[in-house]
Amino acid sequence: MRMLLHVCCGPCSVFPLKHLREAYPEYEITGYFYNPNIHPYKEFVRRLDTLKAFAAQIGLEHLIIDDRYTLEEFLQQALTAPGGRCRNCYDLRLQQTARYAREHGYDCFSTTLLVSPYQQHELIKAAGEAAAIQHGIKFSYIDFRPGWQEGVQKSRELEMYRQPYCGCIFSEKDRYCKPRKGQN
Ligand code: SF4
């Protein structure tokens, strides 16, 4: 069984990769980095570099980097998506993962986004299921959230860079821009 695992960043991949190796030894796992939502570009590079270093450290043999940085397209969609920016963001990344998996002969795909209790888990699951139908490939839904704390602890021990916000410019604003009293 060959699984294409969409990877959002290094720290979020710690537990899912460990879990998949232990619980699904029959799977050959390939990591797939595709995250044009990350802002700014320096942050994108930093997260990618962190993932590459971690992959080398744990001996992840297969890691595919899709470093397209389609910022304008992402922003345009995020501002106008009828279902909201996060739904669009999950769709964008999982549609591309499913497409790549189908075109390159994988048996299934999944995503490390399913590890975070701070993400909209049900929306991610729905996006994966929709991408699976659209591209004719199995979505392996696994709730990785019980391993979230373990992943956090391990990433701290390894002194990995841990990002302080989800990824896009909007989430960066939510994290740092606190309106002054009386401001909207
Ligand atoms: S908050 Fe996170 S999931 Fe939502 S659009 Fe921004 S990067 Fe994507």
Side-chain angles (χ1 to χ4, degrees), residues 7-184:
V7 179
C8 57
C9 64
C12 283
S13 71
V14 172
F15 178 78
L17 284 171
K18 173 179 172 273
H19 179 72
L20 287 169
R21 282 174 160 181
E22 288 174 359
Y24 301 89
E26 71 275 21
Y27 281 178
E28 179 191 282
I29 310 293
T30 297
Y32 184 64
F33 181 92
Y34 175 68
N35 301 289
N37 52 309
I38 300 171
H39 176 93
Y41 182 68
K42 277 174 136 178
E43 174 75 16
F44 175 89
V45 172
R46 192 170 185 190
R47 293 189 193 189
L48 177 53
D49 286 348
T50 303
L51 171 64
K52 284 181 185 168
F54 176 61
Q57 208 168 5
I58 63 165
L60 180 67
E61 282 179 40
H62 309 288
L63 177 64
I64 294 162
I65 311 289
D66 185 335
D67 61 1
R68 280 176 291 170
Y69 193 64
T70 49
L71 175 67
E72 295 81 359
E73 192 184 328
F74 172 77
L75 289 177
Q76 204 163 33
Q77 289 178 5
L79 287 168
T80 57
R85 71 173 194 241
C86 295
R87 184 175 185 163
N88 178 72
C89 185
Y90 301 141
D91 279 340
L92 175 74
R93 291 184 279 172
L94 295 186
Q95 285 283 337
Q96 173 55 29
T97 305
R99 184 180 299 114
Y100 188 96
R102 174 72 178 165
E103 287 173 356
H104 293 82
Y106 289 86
D107 299 296
C108 60
F109 72 100
S110 193
T111 175
T112 59
L113 288 165
L114 292 166
V115 78
S116 172
Y118 301 107
Q119 295 286 340
Q120 299 184 54
H121 194 89
E122 292 307 317
L123 278 187
I124 297 166
K125 186 176 179 217
E129 288 167 353
I133 291 168
Q134 173 115 6
H135 297 282
I137 183 162
K138 182 176 177 229
F139 173 57
S140 289
Y141 168 73
I142 302 166
D143 186 354
F144 294 119
R145 287 176 297 182
W148 167 252
Q149 270 310 326
E150 183 183 329
V152 169
Q153 194 179 328
K154 186 74 184 162
S155 66
R156 287 195 176 129
E157 283 166 20
L158 293 171
E159 299 184 352
M160 292 170 85
Y161 166 62
R162 293 187 51 79
Q163 57 270 17
Y165 58 94
C166 185
C168 65
I169 191 169
F170 309 103
S171 60
E172 189 209 29
K173 181 186 175 193
D174 289 346
R175 173 69 176 80
Y176 294 116
C177 180
K178 306 293 176 205
R180 287 189 217 108
K181 272 188 188 161
Q183 262 186 338
N184 286 326

